């Protein structure tokens, strides 16, 4: 069955520290992969996406993610977290791009 | 500005009543989608539509109905048959052709509370 797993429900990091959010997927074909961010009570904003080509993709707000086919992973990273990054982050796979399977989400808290 | 508009932002419904959530897009996208979000469960697909006058059930369609009479509009009706309708509902749209290397765009959501 197709699925997405985000192993960490809640993560707390200090402002300025590095961040990695994990995402593992199970999908029959080469997936289209996405990371979205959601502030409380708001819709979803796309951070970055992977369709093909270079396995390291750059997104908005200084985020990047690396697709590792052998590990079925698409982890999100940021070298230095800002307080405004506190939000909920969702990893998703989809084909076509809107018919998505989401992970459960990871809530990021940033300590001053 | 192009985008997706969901209304209302907050909606209260009495048990046993049907309620319709509005979703309009001006992105000229062929496909539209409805997702339900519950705490700790991510988002789950309710219904989607590839084209006008056609729609398909998603993973949790029971107790919901949709229509797609216009390209721009994809209203969702939460019926009295939906056992646990209190949730945050998100509408999205995208091109259907996955070769375009694009993504889904989301509205700001409607929070439905059954009272």
């Amino acid at each position: 069955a197709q699925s997405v797993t985000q192993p960490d429900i809640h993560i707390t990091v200090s402002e300025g520290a590095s961040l990695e959010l994990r995402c593992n997927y199970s999908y029959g074909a080469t997936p289209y992969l996405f990371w979205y961010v959601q502030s409380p009570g708001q819709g979803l904003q796309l951070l970055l996406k992977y369709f093909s080509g270079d396995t390291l993709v750059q997104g908005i707000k200084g985020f990047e993610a690396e697709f590792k086919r052998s590990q079925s992973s698409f982890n999100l990273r940021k070298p230095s977290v800002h307080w405004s990054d506190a939000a909920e982050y969702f990893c998703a796979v989809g084909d076509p791009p809107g018919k998505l399977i989401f992970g459960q989400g990871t809530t990021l808290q940033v300590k001053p | 500005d192009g985008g997706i508009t969901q209304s209302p932002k907050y909606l209260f419904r009495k048990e046993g009543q049907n309620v319709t959530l509005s979703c309009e897009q001006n992105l000229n996208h062929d496909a539209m989608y409805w997702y339900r979000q519950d705490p700790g469960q991510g988002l789950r697909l309710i219904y989607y539509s590839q084209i006008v006058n056609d729609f398909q059930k998603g993973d949790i369609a029971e107790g919901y109905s949709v229509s797609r009479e216009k390209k721009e509009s994809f209203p969702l009706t939460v019926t009295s048959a939906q056992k646990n309708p209190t949730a945050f509902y998100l509408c999205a749209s995208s091109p259907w052709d996955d070769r375009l290397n694009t993504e889904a765009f989301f509205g700001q959501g409607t929070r439905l509370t059954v009272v």
Side-chain angles (χ1 to χ4, degrees), chain A residues 30-93:
Chain A
T30 300
Y32 298 109
L33 293 157
F34 306 86
W35 274 100
Y36 284 90
V37 62
Q38 184 182 38
S39 298
Q42 300 296 313
L44 274 67
Q45 180 183 24
L46 181 74
L47 286 175
L48 46 78
K49 60 192 177 191
Y50 173 79
F51 290 100
S52 63
D54 193 346
T55 56
L56 183 64
V57 293
Q58 302 297 319
I60 62 171
K61 303 184 181 185
F63 286 92
E64 66 177 27
E66 186 171 11
F67 170 57
K68 292 186 177 181
R69 185 187 303 274
S70 61
Q71 298 178 19
S72 296
S73 70
F74 189 55
N75 294 349
L76 182 71
R77 301 194 294 249
K78 187 171 185 178
S80 177
V81 170
H82 187 262
W83 64 266
S84 61
D85 293 324
E88 189 159 21
Y89 292 80
F90 292 96
C91 180
V93 301

Side-chain angles (χ1 to χ4, degrees), chain B:
Chain B
D1 287 328
I4 299 178
T5 302
Q6 290 187 242
S7 61
K9 190 171 177 63
Y10 299 96
L11 192 54
F12 295 88
R13 189 196 89 176
K14 291 184 179 179
E15 276 194 48
Q17 290 181 339
N18 294 353
V19 64
T20 297
L21 282 60
S22 171
C23 178
E24 303 275 334
Q25 57 102 356
N26 60 6
L27 300 168
N28 199 34
H29 287 161
D30 289 319
M32 297 187 73
Y33 313 82
W34 275 105
Y35 288 89
R36 171 182 171 137
Q37 184 176 17
D38 297 282
Q41 295 194 46
L43 284 77
R44 293 176 291 169
L45 183 63
I46 305 172
Y47 267 99
Y48 64 99
S49 168
Q50 296 173 238
I51 196 169
V52 173
N53 292 324
D54 183 62
F55 47 83
Q56 306 295 327
K57 292 182 178 180
D59 300 318
I60 56 166
E62 185 175 352
Y64 300 97
S65 66
V66 294
S67 63
R68 187 87 186 275
E69 297 177 0
K70 299 186 302 181
K71 186 175 185 177
E72 301 79 17
S73 179
F74 192 41
L76 173 74
T77 297
V78 184
T79 76
S80 57
Q82 169 50 233
K83 292 184 177 12
N84 186 20
T86 295
F88 191 52
Y89 291 87
L90 286 157
C91 179
S93 72
S94 77
W96 183 253
D97 187 348
D98 56 21
R99 294 169 298 176
L100 294 176
N101 288 355
T102 184
E103 71 270 10
F105 294 82
F106 284 81
Q108 293 300 297
T110 292
R111 184 165 299 281
L112 173 64
T113 303
V114 174
V115 297

